[in-house]
Amino acid sequence: MEGLIVVDVQNDFCPGGALPVPDGDAVIEPINRLAEMIPFVVATRDWHPPDHHSFRDQGGPWPVHCVRETSGAQLHPKLHSSQIDAIVDAGREPEHEGYSGFEHTELERLLRDQGVDRVHVAGLALDYCVKETALDARRAGFEVVLHRGATRAINVEPGDDERALEDLRAAGVEVAD
Ligand SMILES: [Zn+2]
């Protein structure tokens, strides 16, 4: 059974948002196509309290982004919501990073309940939440396929995208176009 995890395709991570991933909205069309072919689709959302420790005013690395219930935290409107079977919110606690959609969430149980054994991963951003979600899926024992063309990276340091792909391949993740 195949499942698709759509990672954090939210307004704040797309152009015009609070923490835009370069070219971030380019992932939407390929994700909509993947979602047509894969029977179970889960979308994750970065879903922070206003005082999340990853924010700069709390000493973290990022501008304020994806504060729960705000418009910036909503899934991008061009994502085909009718194809999404479940939504999982991560990063809900002030002290937890929440880069991975599996961290302190029901994501693994949702996938197991559907009998998923092969997980496809796409979304934003390749070098943070997509990478950590795919690595956690491997640690949980799923077969994992990362769809490179349906991700974009932040690249705080040049080459972060290529290093992320190396880490993923080393962990046994299949990297597809
Ligand atoms: Zn975040």
Side-chain angles (χ1 to χ4, degrees):
M1 172 74 176
E2 316 248 340
L4 171 64
I5 305 174
V6 178
V7 178
D8 296 1
V9 182
Q10 291 163 276
N11 292 324
D12 271 348
F13 292 129
C14 290
L19 179 47
V21 179
D23 206 23
D25 53 349
V27 306
I28 295 169
E29 285 311 315
I31 286 174
N32 285 336
R33 287 198 297 275
L34 284 169
E36 283 174 20
M37 297 183 291
I38 297 172
F40 184 66
V41 180
V42 184
T44 66
R45 296 187 297 197
D46 208 25
W47 198 253
H48 293 317
D51 61 345
H52 194 253
H53 81 151
S54 75
F55 297 163
R56 276 179 199 143
D57 54 8
Q58 307 293 323
W62 306 117
V64 172
H65 65 277
C66 295
V67 174
R68 61 189 177 208
E69 310 294 350
T70 62
S71 59
Q74 304 306 313
L75 296 176
H76 193 284
K78 289 188 176 161
L79 207 58
H80 291 169
S81 56
S82 61
Q83 294 173 327
I84 296 169
D85 300 296
I87 293 175
V88 166
D89 294 328
R92 288 169 296 191
E93 295 140 57
E95 309 303 327
H96 288 131
E97 197 60 70
Y99 283 149
S100 165
F102 287 91
E103 188 181 335
H104 301 277
T105 73
E106 65 280 24
L107 178 55
E108 181 175 357
R109 184 182 55 75
L110 281 170
L111 296 168
R112 301 270 185 225
D113 284 353
Q114 294 293 324
V116 170
D117 52 7
R118 184 173 162 88
V119 169
H120 300 261
V121 183
L124 302 170
L126 170 61
D127 36 359
Y128 290 92
C129 292
V130 169
K131 178 179 103 170
E132 296 303 328
T133 299
L135 290 175
D136 269 355
R138 281 296 297 149
R139 288 183 193 110
F142 295 100
E143 283 182 51
V144 182
V145 183
L146 184 282
H147 291 266
R148 176 72 185 92
T151 69
R152 290 294 184 277
I154 296 181
N155 281 329
V156 170
E157 301 291 336
D160 279 353
D161 50 353
E162 290 305 321
R163 282 185 286 275
L165 293 172
E166 283 170 24
D167 291 349
L168 290 164
R169 288 193 183 98
V173 172
E174 177 187 336
V175 177
D177 294 341

